[in-house]
Amino acid sequence: MIYKFIKYETSENCLTIKLNRPEVLNSFNSGMAGELQHALDSAIADENIRAIMITGEGRAFSAGQDLAEAIPKDEPPADLSELLKKNYNPIIRKIRQISKPVIAAVNGVAAGAGANLALACDIVLASEKASFIQAFVNIGLIPDSGGTYFLPRLVGFQQAAGLMMLGEKISAGEAEKIGLIYKTFDESEFSIESEKLLKKLSQMPTKAIGFIKEALNRSMSNNLEEQLRLEEKLQAEAGSTFDYKEGVNAFSEKRKPEFKGE
Ligand code: T3D
């Protein structure tokens, strides 16, 4: 597929997906949502890809829904649940279900569905110039794209309620402080550090990372007993991988392991 609204760049075992509508702060039209879904499907199918990064072109990560496309013209108004079903929810499901690590490298402002796309990723890095806004309430909507699920789990009920109900912008530094994101980097280091992390993840035991992701997903609703049983099952699977053997052999031979993602 030739992409118009995103860039799809592979290098060795890494994939970078760049949201590419910089003139409207990478806000989502239906075309961009469809292309991102297609790109994630390709990443799922391509065994060569072992780590994925989503970032934005220009000065923003993403300003969420393209409001020019969404302005209500119809009477009665359009059913927004259809937009979520078609455009956003498939993206969030794919990010959580893909058994490969997905990094959000938040290069600038992340608003509305753009912010929640980032929060659905496994590891969220941000430039010190980035910011996060649950902008929905400012236009009379509720957080979507998994926002009402991820936010209270990431930062607790109080912080989540404040962010969602007030729709105020917070800096990347503040987002790191409250546990919304993993790490913030100086602008001068951000690209290099994001690339470094992407490469590092692509050389790690990919199957084990997939199992960790599954355990994290399930921990959101499991009780302790269910989670202990899940760990038994997943550890049995991890213990039968090539990378487990390689990790133990490399340790006893005092050398660096060469993981294959098998
Ligand atoms: O259909 C539905 O609505 C349901 C789906 C909901 C999902 C959602 O994501 S709802 C939330 C939608 N997003 C927003 O409400 C954010 C709107 N944007 C902003 O609040 C601000 O632009 C930012 C805080 C993100 C950035 O502010 P600033 O001052 O850095 O930039 P700016 O000047 O506002 O924007 C620059 C340009 O991008 C500007 O165009 P222009 O004037 O230069 O031609 C602006 O119109 C455009 N732009 C920014 N955000 C959007 C957008 N164009 C379309 N849609 C946008 N979301």
Side-chain angles (χ1 to χ4, degrees):
M1 180 174 184
I2 295 171
Y3 295 118
K4 189 169 163 202
F5 304 116
I6 63 167
K7 289 183 185 170
Y8 187 97
E9 296 163 348
T10 54
S11 166
E12 296 177 0
N13 298 113
C14 300
L15 165 65
T16 300
I17 300 172
K18 217 173 238 188
L19 308 174
N20 189 28
R21 302 183 73 222
E23 66 290 354
V24 283
L25 305 188
N26 302 320
S27 57
F28 272 83
N29 59 8
S30 295
M32 191 164 89
E35 289 187 6
L36 182 52
Q37 290 173 28
H38 185 277
L40 290 168
D41 282 337
S42 303
I44 289 168
D46 186 343
E47 282 179 15
N48 203 38
I49 292 171
R50 291 172 56 190
I52 300 157
M53 180 161 79
I54 302 177
T55 190
E57 184 67 56
R59 74 177 175 92
F61 177 75
S62 169
Q65 171 63 36
D66 182 335
L67 295 175
E69 192 184 67
I71 287 170
K73 311 171 194 86
D74 311 338
E75 225 23 90
D79 178 355
L80 292 186
S81 72
E82 292 305 321
L83 189 85
L84 301 185
K85 278 182 207 153
K86 178 168 165 278
N87 287 0
Y88 296 105
N89 291 350
I91 294 172
I92 304 304
R93 289 193 188 101
K94 285 178 205 296
I95 289 173
R96 291 315 314 153
Q97 284 162 9
I98 185 170
S99 58
K100 304 174 186 186
V102 184
I103 306 171
V106 181
N107 51 304
V109 66
N116 292 341
L117 161 68
L119 299 184
C121 294
D122 296 305
I123 296 179
V124 187
L125 306 178
S127 152
E128 64 183 350
K129 281 173 69 182
S131 54
F132 295 82
I133 320 174
Q134 291 296 313
F136 307 85
V137 74
N138 300 333
I139 54 168
L141 295 180
I142 68 152
D144 58 30
S145 306
T148 61
Y149 179 85
F150 294 114
L151 271 152
R153 286 168 170 80
L154 287 167
V155 298
F157 217 79
Q158 268 299 308
Q159 292 286 343
L163 292 171
M164 291 196 278
M165 289 184 182
L166 301 174
E168 291 172 345
K169 188 191 278 194
I170 62 165
S171 67
E174 220 176 315
E176 181 183 330
K177 209 161 73 189
I178 63 172
L180 189 68
I181 65 170
Y182 182 58
K183 230 178 227 178
T184 304
F185 293 102
D186 288 347
E187 177 60 9
S188 58
E189 299 174 331
F190 173 68
S191 294
I192 293 167
E193 292 298 329
S194 308
E195 294 289 338
K196 238 199 249 174
L197 183 70
L198 179 65
K199 186 154 189 197
K200 178 181 171 140
L201 282 165
S202 77
Q203 294 171 342
M204 291 181 74
T206 312
K207 291 222 155 133
I209 289 180
F211 297 142
I212 291 169
K213 186 161 175 172
E214 187 178 339
L216 280 167
N217 282 342
R218 304 269 288 276
S219 78
M220 298 287 201
S221 55
N222 271 355
N223 62 31
L224 176 61
E225 193 46 43
E226 289 163 334
Q227 200 66 12
L228 289 175
R229 278 198 225 112
L230 178 66
E231 287 175 4
E232 288 168 6
K233 174 182 163 286
L234 294 176
Q235 198 68 297
E237 290 182 51
S240 68
T241 61
F242 168 89
D243 285 343
Y244 168 60
K245 270 196 219 110
E246 168 63 7
V248 175
N249 286 341
F251 177 78
S252 36
E253 291 160 18
K254 299 191 187 306
R255 61 173 173 82
K256 200 168 169 282
E258 282 185 46
F259 296 120
K260 291 188 177 169
E262 293 167 7

